[in-house]
Amino acid sequence: MLRLVVLISGGGSNLRALLEASEDAAFPARVVAIGADRDAEGLAHAEEFGIPAFTVPFTAYPDRESWGAELVEQLGVWEPDLVVLSGFMRLLPPAAVEALSPGLINTHPAYLPEFPGAHGVRDAIAAGVTQTGASVIVVDSGVDSGPIIAQERVAVLPGDTESTLHDRIKLVERRLLVQSVLDIADGTIDLKELA
Ligand code: GAR
């Protein structure tokens, strides 16, 4: 059974997809804890599913490095096989990436390497493209630049706003994330080989 810790900053719909998948006894991974960098709305899912949660508030630390060191420390308590950044909107400092690699993956609402960063959906709309996508990647020291585990195209429809497009992307993203975790758990994907 793969032990997952999922880190969130927002509503946690991708987290919820993993929690729901974990309810199937045949799913080879379990969310053992949920972490956040702020008082995230998605922590309500932790409560609903009875999963322990912790918060390491970014703003409570003097710099990114000390915040990241505390986050790694708290993650370690749960002995995760895999840490999933699931709408976690803070860049981890290099030392944290190094400490958690290669068992550190991220989900992103664009077809990487297109539109990396915090505004992948907004940037796709601004660029006027007719298709964007969703990606699950291994985290490396860059911004959304790690090896791709899974990705799929999503059409940008006439009249799409950031919100309508993001909602459609998230449907794909959740499926890709659950499948990626499954593939990592059963060895179809070897993160050591990818990283
Ligand atoms: C997701 O679309 C995720 O890819 C994105 O935030 C959303 C979180 O949704 N993350 C990034 O943009 C990271 N660069 P959720 O909280 O409902 O899972």
Side-chain angles (χ1 to χ4, degrees):
M1 206 44 91
L2 200 75
R3 293 171 62 82
L4 308 179
V5 177
V6 183
L7 298 182
I8 62 167
S9 301
S13 67
N14 285 287
L15 157 68
R16 191 176 179 92
L18 287 173
L19 290 168
E20 286 173 355
S22 300
E23 287 192 315
D24 179 348
F27 191 71
R30 290 286 173 272
V31 180
V32 295
I34 295 161
D37 62 313
R38 54 184 288 267
D39 186 17
E41 242 177 79
L43 289 171
H45 302 304
E47 210 170 304
E48 182 183 335
F49 283 76
I51 309 288
F54 62 90
T55 304
V56 184
F58 184 78
T59 49
Y61 292 81
D63 52 43
R64 188 175 302 275
E65 285 64 33
S66 53
W67 167 76
E70 178 61 21
L71 187 64
V72 169
E73 179 90 17
Q74 296 222 20
L75 283 165
V77 170
W78 301 100
E79 302 184 343
D81 300 306
L82 185 67
V83 174
V84 182
L85 306 185
S86 183
F88 193 62
M89 302 306 284
R90 300 275 180 197
L91 281 181
L92 295 174
V97 174
E98 199 177 314
L100 301 170
S101 292
L104 178 63
I105 68 172
N106 180 33
T107 174
H108 184 75
Y111 199 87
L112 291 168
E114 300 168 6
F115 309 118
H119 306 290
V121 182
R122 191 186 304 170
D123 293 346
I125 290 198
V129 293
T130 55
Q131 49 176 2
T132 178
S135 307
V136 179
I137 62 168
V138 183
V139 177
D140 68 5
S141 55
V143 178
D144 297 326
S145 56
I148 289 160
I149 298 170
Q151 63 183 170
E152 199 172 305
R153 284 290 186 188
V154 175
V156 181
L157 302 178
D160 254 341
T161 62
E162 183 176 351
S163 157
T164 58
L165 179 57
H166 203 168
D167 284 350
R168 273 201 329 285
I169 290 172
K170 280 190 185 182
L171 295 177
V172 174
E173 223 183 328
R174 288 172 205 147
R175 177 165 45 74
L176 290 183
L177 180 60
V178 170
Q179 186 63 47
S180 297
V181 168
L182 186 65
D183 289 346
I184 291 165
D186 73 11
T188 307
I189 287 173
D190 183 349
L191 292 178
K192 284 194 207 84
E193 268 174 27
L194 268 183

